[in-house]
Amino acid sequence: MPEPEIRELRYFRAVAESLNITRAAERLGIAQPPLSRAVRLLERRLGVDLFDRTGHRLALTRAGEVLFEEAAAVLGALDAAVRRTRHAGLPGRGLVVTAKPGVATRLLLRVRERFRADPGAPEVQVVLSGFGEQADMVRDGRADLAIAACVDGHDLDVEVVATEPRVAALAVGHELAGREVLGTADLLAEPAPRWSGPRAVDRDYWLGNPGRPADGPVVRDSAHLLDVVALGQAVALVPASLAALNVRPDVTYRPVPDAAPYRTLVLWPAGSRSPWIARFVQTALEG
């Protein structure tokens, strides 16, 4: 039989997420019988059962669990392609770059000014985003490029445009503040701030030591993080430039030479042929 249709994959995902045909039909805005037929047709196309119907409620089979994950990637890629295509067709479209507030600001200002000096260059539109959101915004087509500190997966092209030391941010009066230099081992017993919704790669990077538990308060941004530090609720590893820009009477900073340096990365869709994305990356690398 022909390969599955995109519509069938969307129907399958809706049923798999609710494990209830009636609720899935209501969510999709269609009647229950055609939805049931579409799911059965998809199973015949694939030659496997996607749902176990022997119990009181639906359950995914092993094959259904695999398709649930694979369909998410297919539908996500399609949605991103549609979004990028529509974006590319907009008159006077700009180059959308996303970053979280803070360290990336100077880099973005510099690149944007150089683009503005070229009358043929698109406008660089900066979209501020939350912690850990940058890579996903490039993946799903909401942004053309992103500035980030770390990235998971191998589906994006990446260039390191800058590195800098990280320092420990401590409350004034903290016992470690009496030392001139610290090591990551000194921080093992100290509560670490937890970024909301981090992936493992983000969590390990910001802890600075894989043996350090992430058991401090949840923080949303760098200002929130420094307030938590000032209150003595956590000790944080931060870029040296962030420390220089946030001199406070209630927070002190100490070098941590063995901490992995803070990296500023530029991320963009793998295999992109856009000359303006290439121009942005080159400009960012020029320093």
Side-chain angles (χ1 to χ4, degrees):
M1 296 186 74
E3 295 179 352
E5 298 177 359
I6 292 297
R7 174 180 57 85
E8 292 172 330
L9 293 180
R10 293 195 189 280
Y11 284 1
F12 163 74
R13 286 277 303 182
V15 176
E17 287 170 355
S18 62
L19 294 177
N20 183 287
I21 290 286
T22 301
R23 287 199 295 270
E26 291 173 351
R27 171 179 157 188
L28 292 166
I30 63 174
Q32 181 177 331
L35 176 58
S36 297
R37 287 195 297 271
V39 172
R40 289 288 192 183
L41 178 59
L42 177 60
E43 289 178 316
R44 289 200 298 274
R45 288 187 197 277
L46 297 175
V48 295
D49 289 332
L50 300 173
F51 294 97
D52 181 349
R53 299 172 174 84
T54 59
H56 293 296
R57 58 175 295 178
L58 289 177
L60 285 170
T61 62
R62 176 57 186 150
E65 291 174 352
V66 170
L67 185 61
F68 185 77
E69 298 299 327
E70 297 293 341
V74 171
L75 296 173
L78 176 62
D79 291 343
V82 169
R83 191 178 289 112
R84 290 194 189 100
T85 300
R86 288 174 174 165
H87 183 56
L90 293 174
R93 68 172 293 271
L95 196 65
V96 179
V97 185
T98 187
K100 66 184 182 67
V103 174
T105 302
R106 290 182 177 177
L107 170 64
L108 289 170
L109 289 173
R110 175 171 55 80
V111 176
R112 190 168 66 178
E113 288 306 309
R114 293 189 183 179
F115 265 60
R116 284 177 175 170
D118 183 342
E123 177 70 17
V124 175
Q125 303 173 6
V126 178
V127 177
L128 297 180
S129 48
F131 179 81
E133 295 179 351
Q134 292 74 40
D136 284 343
M137 289 183 66
V138 174
R139 289 185 177 108
D140 66 21
R142 286 175 290 165
D144 298 303
L145 304 104
I147 310 296
C150 47
V151 61
D152 62 337
H154 304 284
D155 56 340
L156 298 175
D157 283 337
V158 181
E159 280 284 358
V160 179
V161 296
T163 61
E164 61 178 290
R166 286 195 287 173
V167 299
L170 311 102
V172 169
H174 191 287
E175 61 181 358
L176 291 177
R179 296 170 54 179
E180 292 297 319
V181 178
L182 300 175
T184 54
D186 298 319
L187 309 182
L188 286 176
E190 301 297 330
R194 292 177 292 142
W195 292 96
S196 56
R199 297 186 174 99
V201 63
D202 299 305
R203 184 184 64 249
D204 294 345
Y205 179 75
W206 289 101
L207 288 174
N209 189 314
R212 187 183 182 194
D215 53 1
V218 175
V219 297
R220 299 180 301 275
D221 51 42
S222 56
H224 188 186
L225 179 147
L226 292 177
D227 283 344
V228 164
V229 168
L231 291 169
Q233 298 174 351
V235 172
L237 276 170
V238 301
S241 60
L242 186 145
L245 293 170
N246 290 273
V247 177
R248 300 173 46 147
D250 50 4
V251 175
T252 190
Y253 304 99
R254 292 292 180 268
V256 187
D258 67 334
Y262 182 87
R263 302 183 305 163
T264 299
L265 310 176
V266 178
L267 322 173
W268 67 98
S272 169
R273 301 177 66 180
S274 165
W276 292 113
I277 287 180
R279 170 77 172 276
F280 183 99
V281 175
Q282 184 58 42
T283 304
L285 286 168
E286 288 171 356

